[in-house]
Amino acid sequence: WEKAKVYNTLGCLYAAQKKWSKAKICFLMALKYNPQYRPAMCNLGKVYLTFYKKKHNQELRQEAERLLKECH
């Protein structure tokens, strides 16, 4: 649980700096340690939406929507 929280926090710091790839890795690591950790799911979904907007990747958009549904 603690490792998931630490990785999620680190991911948020990277996201604030717009270092999307590093943020994504951190959120994925958080979910590795706690697959049900909702803050990391939400944050990963937001990162995927950012990538989708840049690359118009349909798969990323669908995964982002799935993750963001899990948040609520």
Side-chain angles (χ1 to χ4, degrees):
W1 155 254
E2 271 306 306
K3 287 185 180 183
K5 189 174 180 181
V6 170
Y7 275 110
N8 185 64
T9 300
L10 184 57
C12 289
L13 293 172
Y14 281 130
Q17 298 171 14
K18 298 187 181 190
K19 295 180 179 178
W20 305 117
S21 294
K22 289 183 178 185
K24 179 182 89 168
I25 290 168
C26 288
F27 298 138
L28 288 170
M29 288 300 294
L31 291 170
K32 176 183 173 187
Y33 286 105
N34 183 348
Q36 302 304 316
Y37 191 56
R38 290 185 187 270
M41 284 183 203
C42 296
N43 291 328
L44 183 59
K46 291 173 188 174
V47 168
Y48 282 166
L49 278 180
T50 300
F51 280 133
Y52 165 72
K53 288 178 184 176
K54 289 182 178 183
K55 300 181 183 195
H56 300 286
N57 183 319
Q58 189 67 15
E59 289 177 26
L60 283 177
R61 185 184 66 78
Q62 290 173 344
E63 181 64 7
E65 288 175 355
R66 184 190 70 76
L67 287 166
L68 292 172
K69 281 181 188 176
E70 294 286 326
C71 297
H72 303 290

